[in-house]
Amino acid sequence: MSETNILPEQYRWMFQQGPHLASATDRTGRFCDVSDELLRRLDYSREQFLKMSPQDIATEQTQQDLLSDYLPRLRLAGRIDHAPIEYQSRSGESLKLVADTIVHEDDNHEFLAVSYYQELDSWDKISHRFKAFYLATPAMLHTMDHNGCILEVSDRWLHKLGYARKDVIGRYIGDFYTETVREELQDGSLTHLNFAEEYSNHERQMVTRSGEILDVLVSAARVNNRRGEPIRLQVAIKDVTDRNRALSDLQKAFDENAKLRNALELERDYLRENIRESMNDGEIVGGSPALQSMLGRIEAVAYTTANVLIIGESGTGKELVSHAIHSRSQRKNEPLVTVNCASIPSELFESEFFGHVKGAFTGATRDRIGRFQLADGGTIFLDEVGEIPLELQSKLLRVLEQQQFERVGDDKTRTIDVRIIAATNRDLADEVAAGRFREDLFYRLNVFPIDVPPLRERGDDVIHIASHFIADICNDFGRPLLALSERNVRQLRAYSWPGNVRELRNVLERAIILSRDNKINLSIPVGPAQDAPRATAVVTNDYLNEQEMRAFTKRNLEQVLRAANGKVSGEGGAAELLGLKPTTLTDRLRSFGIEMPAKRRGRPKRSSS
């Protein structure tokens, strides 16, 4: 077939002489036209080139891609976008390209496949890597065109539904939903993407190749062209079949066993409390360069799904960092479940993490949900992860890699969707070298490390944090707000704070309890200069003499009476606030010469102000 029959004369000059890299192939698969620029880059004459096919100049890898992937997709969908191609010039030089190909067949059944190429520069390489990530991601993803036909799917999508890629590309998405869902799509709204406003977690049902029904949550975001018109729809699917079945089983258990129902309600309350804590967590205070560097890493990783390893000394606020990451993530409306690995007995780790069934071991009197299942859809924070026994680390690794586990004593595999944030004050690399921590688990956890700087490296942050704590502590204790003196500031700066932020709060709580005359007397070691040896002298005593103690107690009794509006007993009375019997409080008021409210005339009047 001659090239004049393929490209009309008025278009052929533009195709050949334009500054682009382009080629056209006919029904036989041979080149039937080519741009001058592509001939120049490949160092072929037009006569030589038109005797060949793409396979003749492609590398071995590209030949395999053409036969196994690109050509089948082209036949099914009529086009292929962003396909990596590598051609070899006549001299053997490699030319790496990305091809966009469109198939056209006119009324006379003349067939033409036109390809436009772009050289694979650094940005294209990044795009190619993102495509590879798209295909290999553990999430179920697919992309649809404006007709609702599938352009691309992730490997996970194919695995869950049991199809090969060649069986899916170009097919209408409704083919993979249940009949009920297909009926909902028959109004044609899907065809033109008129419905394609971004949406999240729509409940649908899909059918696998073997006929199994999957309960799924579907979320979508549209891709517009430069005119703002929707051209593609990016869709993410979450398989919640196992979770829904688990909920159904739990509901049956509620009806059959009141005791189990009460236990599960307590676990539900625990989950809600974790959500509340993660959404109302205290702010990270300070502006030092070390802290700003840490905050920058938090912002960088929070919105991703990457596992995070928080590294820092005891008392630096690693749990606060985990809350900051979770509250900035896409999972912020889901639970954040915290597990202190250092506080769990070694024999209970597996049950604590994954749960157990009734009778699994001595003392297992009921089914129990583990922390990982409680965190499904959200985040789990493993504090002091270095304390996990070596024999359990392989099971934790499986959860990270496959998002699957079994309860102790159960043979049913459960699937979850959990993000892992771990923390440690140990050097896990040293633990790996010593054989106490699995190397593969370490690398899985250490995807994105965040170092929490110790307080001694944060400069004047110690002053800002102290002021923040003082306001918080005074409010908790019902005390007037106290201020730091210049002497307090010098003391705070001079001390190295080996216990970090936790030690700072403990010191301030003790100082506020012992404060007199609205002054804060800090009891911490001080030195003459920042880099000088620390002195061991103590600024003030940690105790009160008898006279001071009586004065402190009297002031406290007067304050609690004011807080209770003069009411001694009953709900909201001073005795209840102090945790004393009313008769005990009455005797104590009398011993300090404080006028009893009952002896005053009438009821105490509240101030109108």
Side-chain angles (χ1 to χ4, degrees), residues 266-281 319 322-323 326-327 331-340 371 374-375 379-381:
L266 290 175
E267 290 172 333
R268 179 201 62 193
D269 293 341
Y270 168 81
L271 186 149
R272 289 177 175 173
E273 178 65 17
N274 273 274
I275 295 177
R276 185 193 67 78
E277 290 178 0
S278 65
M279 294 301 104
N280 297 283
D281 193 30
E319 185 172 359
S322 75
H323 282 251
H326 177 77
S327 64
R331 300 167 180 259
K332 62 184 178 182
N333 294 321
E334 300 296 334
L336 169 62
V337 176
T338 297
V339 183
N340 184 356
R371 300 294 183 92
L374 285 172
T379 305
I380 190 165
F381 174 53

Side-chain angles (χ1 to χ4, degrees), residues 554 557-562 565-568 574 585-604:
K554 183 176 181 180
L557 291 171
E558 291 170 342
Q559 287 176 352
V560 77
L561 281 173
R562 284 194 295 271
N565 294 313
K567 185 179 179 181
V568 175
L585 177 57
T586 300
D587 292 340
R588 193 166 297 178
L589 292 172
R590 190 176 294 114
S591 69
F592 280 92
I594 299 173
E595 182 182 1
M596 295 289 294
K599 294 182 179 179
R600 299 173 185 167
R601 292 183 179 179
R603 292 181 176 268

Side-chain angles (χ1 to χ4, degrees), residues 396-414:
L396 178 59
L397 181 64
R398 180 193 175 202
V399 176
L400 266 66
E401 292 179 336
Q402 302 178 16
Q403 296 279 290
Q404 293 181 333
F405 69 96
E406 291 87 27
R407 294 183 188 177
V408 178
D410 194 3
D411 57 1
K412 179 181 179 181
T413 298
R414 300 173 188 272

